[in-house]
Amino acid sequence: PITGRTLSRIRPVIAGNWKLNHSPAAATEFLQAFLPRVVDSPAEIVFFPPAITFQAVREALASRGAIDVGVQNVYWEDSGAFTGEISASMAAEAGATHALIGHSERRQLFGETNEHARRKVEAVLAAGLQAILCVGETLEERESNRAEEVVLRQLEVGLAGVAAEGRQALLLAYEPVWAIGTGRTASPDDAAEMHRRIREFLVQKFGKDGRSTPVLYGGSVKPDNAAQLLAADEVGGLLVGGASLDPEQFARICRAACPSDLEKSASREK
Ligand code: PGA
């Protein structure tokens, strides 16, 4: 059995998924307010702005190399007649470091399947970006006791093309669909239970290297529950939607990254 804290806990990843919010001007204003509030956050912060806002975020962050910017989605082809899409290689050239794949809104509103997620994860890794594959069950699936089965299937298919070397650029996000944008959060115990299951899957697939793949929790993360969720077993970071739109709230979440864990890791590195 895999228990205890894994390497992924050392520097929590705090990702802000802006979805279809914040124009270039709004993003610039957001960052002016946000940056002074996170000067000493120990978190690895990543923003996922709308593609059209991406460059404005990069420019506003120019002086803050430590904060990353990713894209919310990519298509798996590099280029061609695919109106409305962007590719992983273009995102990489534009300076993206990460891509979200298989977010539940992509699955539910835009018909993305596990097979689509698989192709996208492969394209993202091939372009040298880090992929954050999102998984999670609906309320109906949870209530019919199929949560674990659904999540494992999403992992199995979504990661089918990832070899042991590829997993270094891989992150996962467990986002129970019933907790997204609803104000209903998984309890730290529920989150930990699924995160442990995901960790087991990763270790089965990648051997002991699977211990260090960060697994983020997402779904109604707020300043008031961030520290508790981050402290849950196997939670290596947070994927934040609604609360990442407000500079003060998101900064509070970034500062919730637990200092005592970092002290532990610092002494381990010595
Ligand atoms: P939420 O969204 O924090 O607004 O629930 C999370 C997400 O969809 O990534």
Side-chain angles (χ1 to χ4, degrees):
I2 319 297
T3 54
R5 304 193 157 184
T6 62
L7 286 174
S8 63
R9 292 300 310 277
I10 287 172
R11 201 163 168 243
V13 176
I14 310 288
N17 173 14
W18 284 355
K19 310 188 179 185
L20 183 45
N21 296 289
H22 284 344
S23 66
T28 307
E29 206 177 301
F30 172 100
L31 288 166
Q32 271 164 8
F34 174 77
L35 292 177
R37 290 176 156 86
V38 289
V39 268
D40 48 11
S41 164
E44 194 180 323
I45 302 171
V46 194
F47 282 105
F48 291 92
I52 208 152
T53 298
F54 180 89
Q55 217 47 52
V57 172
R58 290 258 303 159
E59 277 161 30
L61 287 175
S63 55
R64 288 292 296 273
I67 297 183
D68 288 333
V69 195
V71 290
Q72 298 174 10
N73 179 34
V74 295
Y75 192 56
W76 55 78
E77 296 289 349
D78 265 350
S79 61
F82 304 105
T83 301
E85 297 295 307
I86 60 171
S87 68
S89 57
M90 286 179 184
E93 187 189 313
T97 51
H98 296 69
L100 284 182
I101 297 300
H103 187 277
S104 67
E105 285 148 21
R106 299 297 319 166
R107 295 176 190 263
Q108 299 209 304
L109 305 174
F110 301 99
E112 283 192 14
T113 63
N114 285 331
E115 186 57 24
H116 294 153
R118 176 187 72 74
R119 298 181 77 164
K120 291 179 177 199
V121 166
E122 285 168 28
V124 167
L125 298 180
L129 298 179
Q130 302 188 54
I132 305 189
L133 175 67
C134 304
V135 297
E137 79 286 358
T138 63
L139 185 58
E140 194 199 338
E141 287 159 348
R142 172 155 286 250
E143 285 177 345
S144 56
N145 281 324
R146 292 172 47 229
E148 185 177 311
E149 172 198 327
V150 168
V151 168
L152 290 178
R153 181 84 191 135
Q154 290 169 335
L155 292 172
E156 222 167 84
V157 181
L159 301 181
V162 184
E165 317 82 67
R167 61 93 216 154
Q168 278 145 340
L170 178 72
L171 298 88
L172 296 174
Y174 169 56
E175 299 203 298
V177 178
W178 46 271
I180 295 180
T182 57
R184 233 182 115 174
T185 323
S187 69
D189 285 349
D190 282 346
E193 196 183 330
M194 189 64 85
H195 278 249
R196 278 193 292 266
R197 193 62 196 88
I198 293 172
R199 179 67 60 205
E200 257 172 52
F201 173 92
L202 289 168
V203 171
Q204 268 161 18
K205 185 171 168 73
F206 298 121
K208 69 175 185 345
D209 290 346
R211 283 176 188 268
S212 55
T213 299
V215 185
L216 319 188
Y217 169 81
S220 296
V221 174
K222 305 289 173 212
D224 295 344
N225 59 25
Q228 247 194 329
L229 287 161
L230 274 174
D233 203 19
E234 300 297 347
V235 173
L238 302 169
L239 178 53
V240 187
S244 74
L245 297 175
D246 177 78
E248 172 60 27
Q249 281 195 38
F250 193 50
R252 280 175 61 202
I253 293 173
C254 293
R255 292 196 306 257
C258 183
S260 62
D261 280 353
L262 292 157
E263 280 158 25
K264 261 185 265 164
S265 77
S267 58
R268 207 180 302 150
E269 273 157 27
K270 269 180 210 150

